[in-house]
């Protein structure tokens, strides 16, 4: 079997599992191929070093990366069509301290609307919050489905509207949106793209991540000017999000005026497959009245027989 055929079969396997990432990682005197899906990372197979290098070189060649460079960071891109579905691949390679090259492939799928929710009414609650416009921010660990949530909300609310997405990198391919990708080496930062993007007069803005003061303040100003801005930020709970945004330089008065909704989410193993559970917080209401908490939502999911007691215990701290 040719290398091209073997690599294509590997990519097909990942796509069939709806993997988000594929890793080629040096391990002792071999390479481990690991796949990240909604349920976590799993080992696919172990390859001899020489075979792994041949596969790596094939992938790098098809992504227009330099084959002679095995140590410095490299980025590449390609696309593949599987059963009529076009999937974009983003490749990132770098060598470790022993000059052993590693490679990560990110799979970018078309928006499928296949996200499942532990408590479906929560998505309706988020949709209602987004109707108010302003800034709606999501927190949660990597792989918790935040980007998918942003895209599903924008798709549901964006009928006959201009939707713009700014990400680093683009994670979901959506033909109905104007999608811009961050390229800091070319000066295309989140903040710079946001400023330029606002001239296109979008109705809905997706900002992949608020990661610095400049981006935070441009996003806040966009929300104050009547746009719906959907974004993510690093925080361990929904209640910590306003604090984190304050640390990123948004003045308290501005934050109070622009922040419409906050949500923390995790992708949980349920009895019907992986599904998202939210902890939604409406800062415009003040205090904790009529707010659910993460622990209460977990308990409700157990009561409805959506998750097990073991899952409740495993995710009790978010």
């Amino acid at each position: 079997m040719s290398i091209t055929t073997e690599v294509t079969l590997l990519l097909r396997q990942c796509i069939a599992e709806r993997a988000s990432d594929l890793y080629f990682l040096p391990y002792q005197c071999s390479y481990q191929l690991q796949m990240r899906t909604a349920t976590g990372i799993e080992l696919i197979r172990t390859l001899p070093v020489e075979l792994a290098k041949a596969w790596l070189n094939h992938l790098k060649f098809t992504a227009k990366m330099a084959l002679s460079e095995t140590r410095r960071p490299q980025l590449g891109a390609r696309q593949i069509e599987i059963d009529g579905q076009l999937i974009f691949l983003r490749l990132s390679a770098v060598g470790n301290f022993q000059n052993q090259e590693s490679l990560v492939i990110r799979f970018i799928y078309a928006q499928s609307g296949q996200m499942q929710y532990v408590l479906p009414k929560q998505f309706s609650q988020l949709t209602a919050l987004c109707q108010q416009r302003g800034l709606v921010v999501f927190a949660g660990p990597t792989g918790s489905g935040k980007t998918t949530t942003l895209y599903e909300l924008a798709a549901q609310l964006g009928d006959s509207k201009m939707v713009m997405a700014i990400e680093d990198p683009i994670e979901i391919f959506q033909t109905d949106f104007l999608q811009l990708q961050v390229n800091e080496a070319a000066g295309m930062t989140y903040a710079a793209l946001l400023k330029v993007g606002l001239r296109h007069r979008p109705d809905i803005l997706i900002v992949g991540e608020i990661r610095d003061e400049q981006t935070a303040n441009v996003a806040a100003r966009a929300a104050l000017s009547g746009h719906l801005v959907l974004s993510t930020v690093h925080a361990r709970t929904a209640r910590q999000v306003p604090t984190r945004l304050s640390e990123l330089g948004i003045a308290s008065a501005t934050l109070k005026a622009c922040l419409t909704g906050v949500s923390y989410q995790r992708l949980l193993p349920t009895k019907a497959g992986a599904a998202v559970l939210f902890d939604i917080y409406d800062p415009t209401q003040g205090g904790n009245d009529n707010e659910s908490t993460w622990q209460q939502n977990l308990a409700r999911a157990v009561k409805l027989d959506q998750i097990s007691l073991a899952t409740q215990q495993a995710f009790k701290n978010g």
Side-chain angles (χ1 to χ4, degrees):
M1 189 181 298
S2 69
I3 289 176
T4 300
T5 302
E6 289 181 313
V7 172
T8 301
L9 288 174
L10 173 65
L11 296 176
R12 278 181 170 272
Q13 178 185 352
C14 293
I15 291 166
E17 296 286 338
R18 201 72 178 180
S20 60
D21 302 274
L22 171 65
Y23 302 88
F24 282 74
L25 301 176
Y27 179 74
Q28 296 179 354
C29 296
S30 63
Y31 267 76
Q32 289 190 342
L33 272 59
Q34 300 178 7
M35 174 174 63
R36 182 189 293 275
T37 65
T39 56
I41 295 178
E42 63 177 279
L43 176 65
I44 301 175
R45 61 185 294 185
T46 301
L47 292 179
V49 171
E50 291 306 314
L51 181 58
K53 286 183 177 179
W55 288 24
L56 283 171
N57 282 338
H58 173 78
L59 286 163
K60 290 169 63 178
F61 176 78
T62 59
K64 297 181 173 57
M65 300 163 73
L67 301 187
S68 59
E69 181 58 72
T70 61
R71 189 163 187 173
R72 291 188 178 90
Q74 278 197 87
L75 299 176
R78 59 170 290 197
Q79 59 191 47
I80 184 172
E81 187 172 341
I82 302 292
D83 300 329
Q85 180 186 11
L86 189 64
I87 296 100
F88 293 87
L89 309 181
R90 298 286 183 266
L91 288 78
S92 174
V94 68
N96 66 11
F97 75 102
Q98 294 177 306
N99 199 23
Q100 296 171 308
E101 191 171 25
S102 63
L103 177 74
V104 182
I105 302 174
R106 168 65 58 88
F107 296 88
I108 302 173
Y109 303 94
Q111 177 73 354
S112 63
Q114 294 178 342
M115 180 73 83
Q116 301 297 316
Y117 302 102
V118 178
L119 304 174
K121 288 185 178 179
Q122 289 187 317
F123 190 78
S124 299
Q125 184 181 351
L126 284 173
T127 303
L129 277 175
C130 291
Q131 297 282 6
Q132 303 174 40
R133 298 283 170 166
L135 178 62
V136 181
V137 182
F138 294 78
T142 301
S144 59
K146 299 186 297 297
T147 300
T148 302
T149 299
L150 300 187
Y151 270 72
E152 289 198 1
L153 285 167
Q156 188 164 119
L157 297 164
D159 187 36
S160 300
K161 293 183 174 66
M162 165 65 163
V163 182
M164 177 182 291
I166 301 172
E167 295 182 78
D168 181 21
I170 296 294
E171 295 186 14
I172 297 173
F173 176 52
Q174 174 57 271
T175 55
D176 295 334
F177 298 173
L178 175 59
Q179 296 179 281
L180 309 180
Q181 184 163 290
V182 171
N183 183 346
E184 295 192 359
M188 298 167 63
T189 63
Y190 268 118
L193 289 176
L194 255 172
K195 288 180 180 179
V196 172
L198 288 174
R199 296 173 188 164
H200 283 66
R201 299 186 65 185
D203 299 289
I204 300 173
L205 264 170
I206 295 174
V207 181
E209 181 185 345
I210 296 176
R211 59 172 63 157
D212 56 45
E213 183 172 338
Q214 192 176 14
T215 305
N217 279 287
V218 176
R221 287 197 295 273
L224 285 174
S225 64
H227 301 83
L228 170 61
V229 181
L230 304 172
S231 190
T232 71
V233 73
H234 285 297
R236 295 186 62 184
T237 68
R239 306 313 184 279
Q240 288 181 6
V241 167
T243 301
R244 179 63 183 140
L245 293 174
S246 295
E247 292 172 349
L248 286 168
I250 301 180
S252 57
T254 301
L255 190 59
K256 184 176 181 180
C258 75
L259 189 60
T260 299
V262 174
S263 177
Y264 176 84
Q265 71 178 70
R266 290 296 303 268
L267 198 60
L268 305 185
T270 75
K271 298 182 179 181
V276 168
L277 181 68
F278 297 101
D279 182 19
I280 301 169
Y281 165 47
D282 183 351
T284 65
Q285 299 301 311
N288 295 316
D289 294 341
N290 300 317
E291 293 177 13
S292 62
T293 68
W294 179 251
Q295 287 76 17
Q296 288 172 345
N297 290 335
L298 283 172
R300 188 176 302 124
V302 170
K303 186 176 181 180
L304 293 172
D305 199 32
Q306 294 293 312
I307 64 173
S308 66
L309 287 171
T311 297
Q312 180 187 24
Q313 182 66 22
F315 290 88
K316 67 178 182 179
N317 294 320

